[in-house]
Amino acid sequence: MFLKRIALAGAVSLMGSAAFAACSYENEVPVKSLSAGFEAWKAVTDAMAECGNFQAELDQEFRTKQPAAFEANPSLYQIGGVSNGTITPLLNAGTIRPLDDLVEKYGQNLTPNQLIRINGQIMAIAMMVNTQHLMYRSDVLADLGIEVPTTWDEVYAAADQIKEAGVVDYPLGATMKSGWNLAQEFVNMYPGFGGTFFNDDNTTAVNSEAGMAALETMKKALDYTDPEVLVSDSTYVQQQFQQGKIAMANLWASRAGAMNDEAESQVVGKIAMSAAPRATADGAPATTLWWDGIVIASNISDEEADAAFRLAMEGLDTEMVASANDAAIWLVNGYQPTEIAKGAIETATAVPAPPAYPSTTQMGLLHTALGNELPAFLTGERDAEATLVAIDEAYTTSAKEAGVLK
């Protein structure tokens, strides 16, 4: 619910060690962070770097690196950039610390929506909301007389027209890179057909009519995408847009700001955003709602934790938002929604609304099973029915090993 309320209202970057006037103090304790590499994280870590003694590693593979890095003693990083989809392994391993005392000491400018509580304790500070929504070339659709699609059937009908017109290399971009990205595509589409991920006994429920519908709808995209779509992640699709190669994509809201970056984009002012397409005409947008934010490692000294959290608060202040307003849909005070937030806000406030991504151990195991088993379906090695059976079996095996199933 807080997402709706808010909606309404591997490169490594080493930051400089010198303190600048923009920071309210000089940090004297070495601090390192590991997070994703999209624009919002660049803005936040740049702001932290102004205080000195800070190194930020911005890496799209952060989710696979963080568990081991934070389990080291001492932890390899003091600050972690997480989301509701990546925090669970850190929570289960006990490698991040409660933040209640640090919030009381340094969190005067935080809002209640930013405090992520697990079992009553503040375990993360959210900085932004995120979701996948439809991004499209407004000039291409207007020139061809195409209405903005609101369902996946309409997306594919529009893609047919664009393909016939031959005005771009590919009508569609898609984040279908084998592994996590492809799994997320299923996680977005499946609830749109009314599917639930788990039964009451923690077995998975994806082997269902909704699962079949989700797979068949995903596969239709291959008629309109780059043939190399199984290596296509968010950065790849962002660059396809920026280079004028595609006309539509269901892409993360955190990528919207880059479309108008004159240093990178050839389509400044030509990309518009609307709600994520619905899988069915009367259903919710086929996507999930996310937050991104920071956590502090357990395996560090209290002095380091104090310094890291204070630094994080400097990175999440109103001055940072003022200088990077369009980099994200911020939860930080001072954020002013603009046109590029339109699609994410329409998605989050839709009726019915899409679900929040579940931050559970079961979901993490299912996400991995999906990422491992879905590529064989898209390459034609396995049909939809056999793919759902394989996903069920892979999840069941890992869930038993994890003690989630008996």
Side-chain angles (χ1 to χ4, degrees), residues 91-284:
L91 285 168
N92 289 345
T95 54
I96 55 175
R97 66 174 60 203
L99 304 175
D100 299 72
D101 55 339
L102 294 171
V103 169
E104 183 175 356
K105 188 173 182 180
Y106 296 117
Q108 293 78 12
N109 294 324
L110 297 173
T111 65
N113 287 331
Q114 291 182 261
L115 308 180
I116 305 301
R117 298 179 187 275
I118 308 293
N119 296 327
Q121 293 181 305
I122 301 170
M123 298 302 297
I125 304 299
M127 66 180 195
M128 58 178 279
V129 294
N130 208 356
T131 187
Q132 286 180 293
H133 60 46
L134 184 67
M135 299 171 65
Y136 60 93
R137 283 280 298 275
S138 57
D139 57 330
V140 170
L141 267 60
D143 290 346
L144 297 177
I146 300 172
E147 296 289 331
V148 178
T150 61
T151 67
W152 275 103
D153 284 343
E154 292 177 1
V155 168
Y156 293 139
D160 271 331
Q161 287 185 253
I162 296 168
K163 186 176 183 178
E164 185 175 352
V167 292
V168 290
D169 292 355
Y170 307 103
L172 276 179
T175 52
M176 287 186 168
K177 182 179 180 179
S178 295
W180 191 92
N181 287 270
L182 182 55
Q184 183 57 34
E185 291 297 296
F186 183 90
V187 169
N188 285 337
M189 191 69 75
Y190 176 68
F193 283 104
T196 55
F197 290 107
F198 300 100
N199 301 308
D200 291 342
D201 59 359
N202 283 338
T203 55
T204 182
V206 299
N207 190 358
S208 62
E209 289 186 12
M212 291 290 289
L215 289 183
E216 295 301 338
T217 302
M218 289 170 61
K219 198 165 191 176
K220 287 180 183 177
L222 302 188
D223 292 338
Y224 310 104
T225 59
D226 185 329
E228 302 299 322
V229 70
L230 290 181
V231 298
S232 174
D233 62 8
S234 299
T235 299
Y236 189 93
V237 177
Q238 173 187 314
Q239 292 172 344
Q240 284 184 307
F241 259 129
Q242 291 175 320
Q243 295 166 8
K245 293 182 177 179
I246 60 173
M248 299 184 292
N250 202 44
L251 189 60
W252 291 101
S254 52
R255 301 288 175 163
M259 299 304 155
N260 290 330
D261 183 346
E262 294 183 349
E264 299 179 355
S265 179
Q266 302 171 20
V267 293
V268 172
K270 296 180 179 179
I271 306 296
M273 294 77 182
S274 63
R278 300 171 188 268
T280 62
D282 57 354

Side-chain angles (χ1 to χ4, degrees), residues 28-50:
E28 297 180 348
V29 179
V31 174
K32 296 175 67 176
S33 72
L34 174 61
S35 69
F38 52 78
E39 289 299 318
W41 280 114
K42 294 176 185 175
V44 169
T45 52
D46 279 351
M48 292 185 199
E50 292 171 349

Side-chain angles (χ1 to χ4, degrees), residues 178 182 219 222 227 229-230 373-383 387:
S178 295
L182 182 55
K219 198 165 191 176
L222 302 188
V229 70
L230 290 181
E373 303 302 333
L374 285 172
F377 170 66
L378 294 184
T379 60
E381 296 174 35
R382 186 190 286 151
D383 65 20
T387 299

